[in-house]
Structures are given as C-alpha cells and as structure tokens.
Amino acid sequence: MPFTVFSVLATDESGELQNGRMRSLIRLFRPDRQGNLTKLDFVQSIDAVYKELRLLRASIANSAQIDLAFERVINFFYFFFVGIIAVLIWGINVFPFLLSSTTYFLGLSFLFGAAASNYFEGLLLIFLRRPYDIGDRIALSLPFLDTNPDGSSTWFVEKVSLFTTTVRFATTNEVATYSNGSIAPMRIINANRSPKAISEIHYYYCC
C-alpha cells in the first residue's frame, strides 16, 4: 500500500499539505524508504493507537474516581465544621462535648495512628507526587539500595485508587496489589518518564 494514500489526512480544509501532520503520520505508520506500507505495519500501528486510547480512557476514568473520593473527604470536613459553626450560632455550647470526646479520639489515635499515617502518606503520593499513571512501567526499590546496573524488574500499572495500586509483572503477568502508603517511601523508577536507556556492550578478545 503506498503511503501517499494517507497523505490526505495531512491536508487542511483548503487542501494544502501540513508538514506537521505529515511528520506525525510518518512517525505513526513508519513506511519504508520506498514510501510503501505493508498490511502488517498498518495493523500494528492501528493497534498501538488503540492501546494508547484504551489506556487514556482507563486513566481518565480512574482519575475521575480518585477525584470523586477526594471530593467526599473534603465535603465531610466541610460539613463537619459548618455544622459546628451552625450549632454555635444557635447558642449551643458544643465544646464540653468535644472535650469529653477527645479521650476516645486519643485512644483511637494510639490504635490506628500508624495506619492513619500510612494512609496519609498514600494520599500525598496520589494527589501531590503522582509518580505514575495507568499503563506506566515502573520499578520499585528501597531508597538506600543502589539500582541494578543491568536494569530493574518492571511492573505495569493497571489500576490506582486512594488506598491501593494494582500492578502486573512484565515478565510473568503476575498481578500484585500494593498499598499506596507502602509505596510512598520507596524509590519509584518510571520507565515511561525516563530518558532512553543507555546500554553498554563489552567485547573480550583472546589470543
């Protein structure tokens, strides 16, 4: 199939060829030096675009769920403080009740303090740091250990929520679920955001 067939997609409304669009089409389909495109290359290019759109759709849906959950958390604190202000306006003193309930909160803080801290670190990871998105290829390691010079074992991110991150091992397709709080203190290597890898090949000659 001649690649000139697709040049119609690179024209504007007046029929003039746009160089930027043409370069994008060439990067997408990658025809050979003679300007031909095989059916296999065409199908592979379309499949690559479909996968990117599918990952984009999943990422948008996942971001919408996270934003909705975060909105519920904000609404809870908002209506809590608004309720306290409304009760104070009505002339009801709620401070004795709040002071008496602090003993229960202190007990719960000792019981769930570590879990709450871990959950808060996970929230900061998802909302502020955002080290990965759905479809990214990541590697996890302890920050005080050096990375493997031969490359790290990578996982594909499949789902991200407020509490957990679901990943799939690139080699064996094993699925694992991490709590976001456990990932927060680790070194996260994102292959999709990293520059091109540098490979070294050593040759040994013997007599």
Side-chain angles (χ1 to χ4, degrees):
M1 181 185 302
F3 186 72
T4 54
V5 176
F6 300 95
S7 61
V8 180
L9 301 175
T11 57
D12 55 10
E13 298 178 354
S14 61
E16 295 182 359
L17 188 65
Q18 299 294 321
N19 294 329
R21 295 181 183 178
M22 196 65 184
R23 285 193 294 267
S24 299
L25 288 175
I26 293 175
R27 284 195 300 267
L28 174 61
F29 293 103
R30 296 188 179 279
D32 56 17
R33 295 180 180 276
Q34 287 74 31
N36 297 321
L37 182 67
T38 63
K39 292 182 179 180
L40 179 61
D41 293 335
F42 175 76
V43 172
Q44 289 177 345
S45 300
I46 296 300
D47 183 66
V49 173
Y50 168 73
K51 290 180 179 179
E52 290 182 1
L53 291 177
R54 187 175 60 181
L55 290 176
L56 177 61
R57 180 181 178 183
S59 179
I60 292 175
N62 188 79
S63 298
Q65 293 178 359
I66 293 177
D67 292 341
L68 179 61
F70 184 68
E71 181 181 358
R72 290 175 179 175
V73 173
I74 296 299
N75 288 338
F76 170 78
F77 288 103
Y78 172 76
F79 287 113
F80 176 75
F81 288 110
V82 168
I84 293 178
I85 294 174
V87 171
L88 292 176
I89 292 176
W90 291 336
I92 302 175
N93 189 6
V94 295
F95 290 105
F97 171 75
L98 294 177
L99 292 176
S100 63
S101 62
T102 54
T103 57
Y104 297 101
F105 289 115
L106 287 176
L108 292 176
S109 65
F110 285 108
L111 183 61
F112 300 104
S117 176
N118 196 10
Y119 174 69
F120 184 71
E121 289 182 1
L123 291 180
L124 293 180
L125 175 75
I126 297 302
F127 289 114
L128 298 181
R129 292 173 56 187
R130 293 182 178 268
Y132 48 77
D133 296 315
I134 291 181
D136 286 355
R137 189 160 51 94
I138 63 173
L140 304 175
S141 62
L142 296 175
F144 53 82
L145 296 179
D146 293 333
T147 58
N148 190 352
D150 296 329
S152 305
S153 300
T154 56
W155 301 75
F156 288 102
V157 180
E158 290 195 341
K159 185 179 180 181
V160 181
S161 66
L162 285 179
F163 305 99
T164 60
T165 296
T166 303
V167 293
R168 182 181 298 273
F169 194 44
T171 305
T172 60
N173 277 337
E174 295 174 289
V175 177
T177 301
Y178 293 96
S179 64
N180 294 331
S182 64
I183 299 178
M186 301 184 70
R187 179 193 292 119
I188 303 174
I189 302 173
N190 193 326
N192 291 53
R193 301 180 185 179
S194 302
K196 294 182 179 180
I198 300 175
S199 301
E200 295 182 1
I201 302 176
H202 301 276
Y203 293 95
Y204 297 95
Y205 297 95
C206 60
C207 298

